[in-house]
Each structure stands twice: as C-alpha cells, then as structure tokens.
Amino acid sequence: MNSLAARPGIAHAGEASVRGLPGVGPQVAQKLAAAGIERLQDLWFWLPRSYEDRTRVAPIASLAHGEKAMVEGRVDAVEKGFRFRPQLKVAISDDSGDTLVLRFFHFHAGQVAQFSQGAWVRCYGEARQAGLSMEMVHPSYRRIAESERGEVSERLDPVYPAVEGIGPARLAQLVQAAIEKLPPSEEFELLPAPLRAELKLPDLGRALRFVHAPTVGTDLAALSDGRHPARRRLALEELLAHHLSLRRQRVDLRQQGAPPLRASGRLARGLRANLPFALTDAQERVLGEVLQDLGASEPMLRLVQGDVGSGKTVVAAMAALHAVEAGAQVALMAPTELLAEQHFNNFRSWLEPLDIEVVWLAGKVKGRARAAALARIAAGAGVVVGTHALMQEGVAFAGLGLAIIDEQHRFGVHQRLALRDKGLVGSRIPHQLVMTATPIPRTLAMTAYADLDVSVIDALPPGRTPVQTVALGVERRPELVERIRAACAEGRQVYWVCTLIEDSDEVQAQAAQTTYEQLLAQLPEVRVALVHGRMKPAEKQTVMQAFKAGALQLLVATTVIEVGVDVPNASLMVIENAERLGLAQLHQLRGRVGRGAAKSSCVLLYQSPLSRLARERLDTLRQTNDGFVIAEKDLELRGPGELLGTRQTGLVGFRIADLGRDADLLPAAQRLADALLAESPERADRVIARWIGAAVRYAGA
C-alpha cells in the first residue's frame, strides 16, 4: 500500500450546501433537509433504487403484458369521464398500426391540453392487457416534436427514493446537477490506488457517475443488489467510515480515564472455594483479560462472548468481586426481568456468604421497597442487579466503578451511555463489561465492535452433554407426545416452544394457546403450564419459577424463553414451526436444555414443504452445537441483523453497505483503517465526515 500522507489538495466540494444548485430556494432546501440532504455529497450518495430503460423506443405492437417500455405515439382520441371517479383516457398509435390507451385518474386541465389530437407524446410505463388493447396507467410522459422521434438516451434512467414535496423528475435533475459538480477524482479520492486495483474497484468519481447513469447492457440485477464493482466501491468506503468512527470513539473513551480497580483477590478466592466446580481454561483466560483491564486507569470496554452455557456469569461475578474489593460499586443490567432476577439470585447465592450486599432493582419494585433499594444504592451497596430501571432518574450510585451489561445486543448505545453516566465523576467513567450469548463471526465482530476489546469463552464446562438435535415433520407429532409422556414419567422436564401466541389465518403456525390446550388434553397426568409475552410480568415470573422449582413438568411457551432462567432438569426441547425461526434464535432456544449432566434433546418440528433456506438452517442445527459455526452460517444465510440486533441504535445505519453481502470487504476496510490512523489521521477524519458526519457525537459510547 502506498503512502497515505494527506494531501492539502483534498477538496471539500462535497461539503458545499445544496442551496448553490439552480432552483434550490429556501422551500426546496427545507424539503431536502427533511430527508437528510443538505450537502452536495448527500445528493452524490442518494443512490437510485432502480433503473428504467429509455434507451430504445418499442413499437406499440410489440408490447407484452407486465413489460415496462418506452413508446412514442400520435394522439388519436381523448376522453374525460366522471361517472364513478375522474378519469382521463388518451389513445395513441404509431407506425406499427396498434393502439395504446394511456389512463390517468389524477389529472388537471393543463395535462388535458397537452394531449391535443395529432400531437406526438413519448411515454414510459408498465403495459397491461385491458380487453382487446394494451394500456398504461399513469405513465410518465412528455410531449415531443415529430422531429424528436427516435432521439433516445444512451444511458439508463435512475429512479430515486422519494423526497416528500419534490417530484421524481425534479429530484433527478438536482442529483444530476450535483454530480456535475464532482471534482476531479484525485481531489476527493480517499482510498489508495493499489487497494482499488487489488479489489478491482473504480475510483470514487467513476463509481458515482456510473451508479447514477449506467450504460446500456449493464447487469442491473448486480447493480441493484450491490454486487457491481461501482456499488462495492461505495460500500467499501462506507464500511471503512463506520470502522474508523468506532475506532475513534474508542480512542476518545480511553482518554476519559477510569478509576483503577486493584485488589488482592481475597473475595474471588472465597468464591472459588465455595463453587462446586472449577473454572475452565477459557474462563480463566478471559477473567485474566478482564482483571488486567480493571487495573488500568483508562476505562475498560470489553465484550465477552461465549456460547450458551459457557459460563459468562461466573466470570462477571469474579470481576464484580474484584471491583468491590477495590472499593467500587458494581451494576449488572439485563434486558428482561426474568434474566435479571436469575442473575440476582446467582449473585446473591455466591456473594452474600462473602458479606457483599446485593440489591435488586426492576420496574416491578415499587413504593417502600423501591425507596429502600434506592437508599441502599446511594449508601454504597456493593452490587446492584436489575433491568432498564438502573438507568432511570432517581437512581444514584455512591461510586459506580464497573457496569456489566448482559445480552448487550438488546440494548442500544443510548442505554449503555445512560448506565455509564451513572458513574461519571469529573472526566472519569466506570469500566464497562458487556456480555452476549450470541456468538459473532470474527470479521463481523472486528467491524461492528471495533470500539470494544473482544474476549471469547470458547469451551463449555466439563460435564455438559451436547444436545442431540433432530428434525421431524408435523405428521410425527403423536410420536413426540408419547416421548414427552415418557420423559415426564422419568422425572425430566420439557419445553414446547411455539412461534405465535394465538391462531392466525395469515400465518399457518400452531399457536401456543392451541398447543397448550391440546397437550393438556393429551397428557392429563402431566403438569402443564403456558407462558407468553402478553402475560403480565408477574404472571410470567410465577410460571417460570414454578417450572424451575419442578412444580411443573411441561412448559408451553413462545420465544419469550429465548433468554430465560436455567432449569438443569429440563432435558427435552420441542420447537414448533422451527422453519420460521432464524439460526441464532433456534440456537438460543436450544441452549435452554442440556444445562445439566442428563442427556438432552432438541426436536425441530417443521411444516412441509421446506424452502431451501429453511432446510439449510435445520441441517446446520442438526450437524453442530458450536455457536460460532452457527453464527458464520447465519451470517451467510440471513445477514448480520440477528447477530448484531440493536447494536447500531443511535448511529447512522448503513446506506449502501450490507455487512452480510459485503463481508469479503471487511478485512480490507480494517487493514486500511489501521494504515489511515497511523499515517494519515486527517484523511481518516475526512472519510468519517463524508459518511457519518454528526453521528460521531456518540463518541465514547
């Protein structure tokens, strides 16, 4: 890669206001601003959503139903009707001898005047069969002189995402006017030529001019779905910008400072002595990384990812004890009351024998109990466990030194900031430990979490038996019911997961309510209960606790249990309509069983016929229990949405790039980011400003 030293000649032409374009007065500028278009470069990157081929005139006689085409014809007749609704019909014909009807339901007197008999018009639209003739409903059109017949464009016409209050033709004119102001490539190109050559990508100027006006014969499918080199060139720079932005946030964060938390390890040794198991090598490695971070005077921002059941919670407890011994408070936040309460119970059983106060705070804690909890937190209680309630006004910590966030993909940047700010003292902020049981492929993690250090617990505790997974068609449901009867008779517990709460005509899936009633009738000797997301939190909690205590044998549930309490005695999981769920969610659900030493199974119950994608998902689940293998496959099949969740909340979303589709560009983006930050920080700033702009205000999130 050649030198990236910044050149003083890098132009700022893209920063110029759109008000400098012809015809953009205050009103038009206001409408553009409402759509996020204020600078010339905003128009440069306002990419077409599709294209229209107006490079040839089709004879009317050649039109086929459903085909989009451009035709030219002479107006033969005009008819206005108002019987049921206003309607304008215009009949045109050409040299092919056939007639085409143009139909308009919204029109004005000026439009009617354009269609004078004998006039020539050029129109574009979708042809459809209407009786014996073809018609176009609301085609785009313009009147032409007879001498203009056959004069066509050499490039495809772009169709842009709509901007309220600005017509499509006017918007296309504005974009074209902005494109004409593109500076010479060498003045605003930010990616080095050797990298572009390596990836076979054009420079930025060529890429932009091409996507706004592709030539005839271009593979439109490749252009529309992002596989064309011109689109990939833009995607690469956008990926780079987001990566750089997160890296900059990390730098800014580290400059803020944090209380160094150093301890002898006395409390952690006390916990180890009381645990009925030893930590795995993977847990010890990750704990070592966390403790090293806590001892530093710059804030930790570490993501600990591990498969379901890998033992993240005990690592978090060890970190919490270290922080408490160093004189700091710890807050642990989870996305649901069920999960938060499980953490609370675990922490209380582990920490209270060591004389560490553990406080519970959730939305359902009201009145005197809430006031007492708030008073204990303000007085310096060692560990506080709760939900979003921890971020609310009125919650004041005496000295928050460590914030632990579980299932962090369920929280956005704002929420993480709100909890962090509870420990803000001057310029110092608490250390942050975030955890997820959703494994993330390495390349994706390096881009989406470039502001975090990532630790992986890549081994399960000894004694955990892999879950056996089978896929069954719904016709074998009676066999499955008998299997459940046998498992319950042996003292085991069973989950039956449905994807809907009640029957729906639109979605052919067995509803939880219906399934519950059926199983209640089929298994009268089994203690069955139902839990779903529409129940009140207290009701859900009661049912889940009863299941955990063994008072219930079979729990019919929606995916509300995806992140839920551990029930070691549960050894069978049935997932109904498994073909409807993504890999990540299926893997999370499967992780509810196999948490004890007993042999456990997961049955994926599906409706035939299966789509190719659904079959691949179910096959992947059957073949592996490795969450990271599953995550890679999930990325391949569905893209990054499930893997990242709401991670990017508060940040500008990707306009062009797609983390799944463009995954092969990620290593290049990361490599280039390293080089830019080392050799040309000014150019890195330009990349961030071009693509993200004001979103950098979330620095330090």
Side-chain angles (χ1 to χ4, degrees):
M1 197 174 292
N2 67 343
S3 173
L4 297 170
R7 300 188 305 273
I10 292 180
H12 292 256
E15 301 293 334
S17 172
V18 294
R19 288 176 178 260
L21 295 174
V24 180
Q27 285 188 325
V28 173
Q30 191 174 3
K31 290 171 182 174
L32 289 169
I37 302 171
E38 298 181 72
R39 307 168 294 174
L40 284 185
Q41 68 187 34
D42 296 329
L43 283 171
W44 296 346
F45 296 111
W46 195 259
L47 300 191
R49 56 179 173 81
S50 61
Y51 299 89
E52 295 177 345
D53 186 356
R54 305 191 190 208
T55 61
R56 59 179 288 271
V57 177
I60 292 174
S62 71
L63 295 178
H65 181 77
E67 177 186 66
K68 287 188 172 181
M70 185 169 72
V71 299
E72 293 174 349
R74 184 191 297 106
V75 177
D76 295 329
V78 180
E79 180 185 298
K80 289 188 290 183
F82 298 93
R83 188 175 176 188
F84 299 109
R85 58 190 293 196
Q87 186 175 164
L88 173 67
K89 292 198 293 184
V90 181
I92 65 172
S93 61
D94 64 5
D95 298 339
S96 72
D98 271 21
T99 298
L100 174 70
V101 176
L102 313 179
R103 192 186 298 268
F104 301 90
F105 297 108
H106 309 286
F107 58 94
H108 49 81
Q111 252 178 306
V112 179
Q114 286 188 304
F115 294 114
S116 56
Q117 196 161 1
W120 279 89
V121 293
R122 177 180 292 160
C123 55
Y124 181 93
E126 183 179 320
R128 69 183 194 187
Q129 193 72 43
L132 297 175
S133 64
M134 302 296 286
E135 71 170 17
M136 288 183 180
V137 178
H138 279 284
S140 59
Y141 70 93
R142 70 180 181 92
R143 187 163 168 168
I144 60 171
E146 192 167 356
S147 59
E148 293 179 78
R149 291 177 61 192
E151 292 180 4
V152 294
S153 170
E154 293 180 359
R155 294 183 175 271
L156 302 173
D157 283 11
V159 179
Y160 292 101
V163 172
E164 191 172 352
I166 299 177
R170 180 70 181 120
L171 182 60
Q173 288 170 354
L174 290 173
V175 174
Q176 188 54 44
I179 292 294
E180 287 170 6
K181 293 184 178 292
L182 279 170
S185 281
E186 64 271 12
E187 293 184 12
F188 83 134
E189 177 59 63
L190 297 173
L191 303 191
L195 179 73
R196 297 198 314 269
E198 177 193 331
L199 298 172
K200 298 184 172 72
L201 299 177
D203 62 49
L204 184 58
R206 284 177 57 205
L208 284 171
R209 288 187 178 92
F210 189 89
V211 296
H212 287 290
T215 53
V216 179
T218 299
D219 183 347
L220 289 184
L223 197 57
S224 298
D225 66 19
R227 293 179 290 112
H228 192 281
R231 282 267 188 170
R232 282 171 59 80
R233 164 64 186 80
L234 303 178
L236 174 61
E237 191 172 314
E238 187 176 27
L239 289 170
L240 173 65
H242 280 254
H243 190 77
L244 284 169
S245 172
L246 290 170
R247 292 273 291 272
R248 279 286 167 83
Q249 290 178 26
R250 178 173 171 164
V251 169
D252 292 345
L253 178 82
R254 298 208 180 241
Q255 290 173 348
Q256 288 186 267
L261 303 177
R262 302 186 181 106
S264 68
R266 174 182 59 82
L267 290 176
R269 285 193 295 274
L271 175 57
R272 286 175 184 272
N274 293 338
L275 289 174
F277 54 84
L279 269 59
T280 64
D281 291 346
Q283 288 173 305
E284 294 284 10
R285 184 187 70 251
V286 170
L287 178 61
E289 293 165 353
V290 171
L291 296 185
Q292 188 171 351
D293 287 353
L294 289 176
S297 56
E298 57 186 33
M300 171 176 73
L301 189 52
R302 183 170 290 278
L303 170 70
V304 173
Q305 56 169 330
D307 218 340
V308 177
S310 60
K312 297 178 296 297
T313 307
V314 73
V315 170
M318 291 285 186
L321 285 172
H322 186 91
V324 169
E325 189 180 341
Q329 280 180 294
V330 177
L332 191 161
M333 183 168 72
T336 67
E337 288 197 358
L338 279 172
L339 186 57
E341 191 152 3
Q342 177 170 298
H343 284 312
F344 173 64
N345 291 331
N346 280 333
F347 270 54
R348 191 167 60 176
S349 67
W350 290 339
L351 273 55
E352 285 187 348
L354 303 170
D355 293 326
I356 307 298
E357 186 178 12
V358 184
V359 176
W360 166 245
L361 187 65
K364 67 180 182 182
V365 180
K366 307 282 188 186
R368 290 182 181 176
R370 179 177 173 82
L374 293 177
R376 289 159 64 196
I377 295 167
V383 177
V384 184
V385 181
T387 58
H388 302 75
L390 296 181
M391 302 179 298
Q392 294 172 351
E393 285 187 36
V395 181
F397 289 83
L400 181 62
L402 171 62
I404 303 171
I405 300 160
D406 193 21
E407 295 298 335
Q408 62 76 42
H409 62 287
R410 305 219 172 183
F411 296 101
V413 173
H414 292 291
Q415 294 167 314
R416 213 169 75 192
L417 279 170
L419 182 59
R420 186 199 73 183
D421 289 348
K422 293 290 184 183
L424 186 63
V425 178
S427 62
R428 297 207 307 183
I429 60 173
H431 297 280
Q432 295 175 77
L433 178 65
V434 294
M435 304 192 294
T436 180
T438 304
I440 303 154
R442 183 174 174 274
T443 54
L444 193 56
M446 287 174 69
T447 294
Y449 298 105
D451 57 333
L452 293 99
D453 293 308
V454 179
S455 294
V456 179
I457 302 178
D458 51 9
L460 292 178
R464 293 288 300 272
T465 55
V467 178
Q468 289 188 328
T469 304
V470 296
L472 297 179
V474 289
E475 67 277 2
R476 297 181 63 182
R477 190 186 178 100
E479 296 174 39
L480 192 53
V481 172
E482 291 308 310
R483 186 171 170 183
I484 291 170
R485 192 191 310 275
C488 293
E490 291 169 7
R492 315 308 304 175
Q493 289 171 279
V494 181
Y495 290 100
W496 189 301
V497 182
C498 304
T499 53
L500 298 175
I501 296 170
E502 58 195 23
D503 283 317
S504 165
D505 292 332
E506 296 178 9
V507 184
Q508 294 303 309
Q510 196 74 19
Q513 185 70 43
T514 305
T515 300
Y516 167 67
E517 291 167 4
Q518 288 175 346
L519 292 173
L520 206 58
Q522 291 168 325
L523 300 167
E525 75 278 21
V526 174
R527 299 185 298 279
V528 189
L530 173 66
V531 64
H532 57 70
R534 292 187 196 169
M535 293 167 63
K536 293 178 179 177
E539 292 174 328
K540 278 193 293 189
Q541 190 76 9
T542 301
V543 174
M544 293 298 290
Q545 291 297 353
F547 187 63
K548 186 176 183 179
L552 298 170
Q553 295 168 289
L554 171 58
L555 184 64
V556 180
T558 59
T559 53
V560 70
I561 63 147
E562 179 185 348
V563 177
V565 297
D566 293 340
V567 182
N569 191 46
S571 62
L572 176 59
M573 161 79 67
V574 179
I575 304 175
E576 188 136 27
N577 298 108
E579 77 279 3
R580 296 179 48 79
L581 301 181
L583 264 175
Q585 196 172 21
L586 286 168
H587 183 60
Q588 281 271 354
L589 287 167
R590 178 171 63 179
R592 294 295 100 214
V593 294
R595 305 185 80 87
K599 180 181 174 183
S600 297
S601 304
C602 177
V603 179
L604 307 172
L605 207 56
Y606 64 86
Q607 294 266 11
S608 296
L610 288 176
S611 68
R612 182 188 61 81
L613 283 179
R615 187 170 296 280
E616 282 197 55
R617 283 198 296 271
L618 300 190
D619 285 347
T620 301
L621 263 291
R622 285 194 307 106
Q623 290 160 9
T624 182
N625 283 278
D626 188 323
F628 290 92
V629 173
I630 288 166
E632 292 282 359
K633 190 67 177 177
D634 203 26
L635 178 62
E636 177 191 326
L637 295 179
R638 289 172 67 97
E642 281 189 72
L643 299 171
L644 299 181
T646 58
R647 161 69 184 157
Q648 296 296 336
T649 299
L651 294 175
V652 173
F654 289 110
R655 287 179 280 174
I656 296 167
D658 180 287
L659 286 175
R661 182 193 66 215
D662 301 320
D664 64 310
L665 295 174
L666 294 176
Q670 293 151 12
R671 195 167 76 240
L672 183 54
D674 292 338
L676 282 173
L677 291 171
E679 301 175 39
S680 183
E682 186 268 353
R683 193 183 290 202
D685 288 341
R686 293 278 301 127
V687 173
I688 294 171
R690 177 181 286 172
W691 287 91
I692 297 178
V696 182
R697 67 184 179 274
Y698 291 102

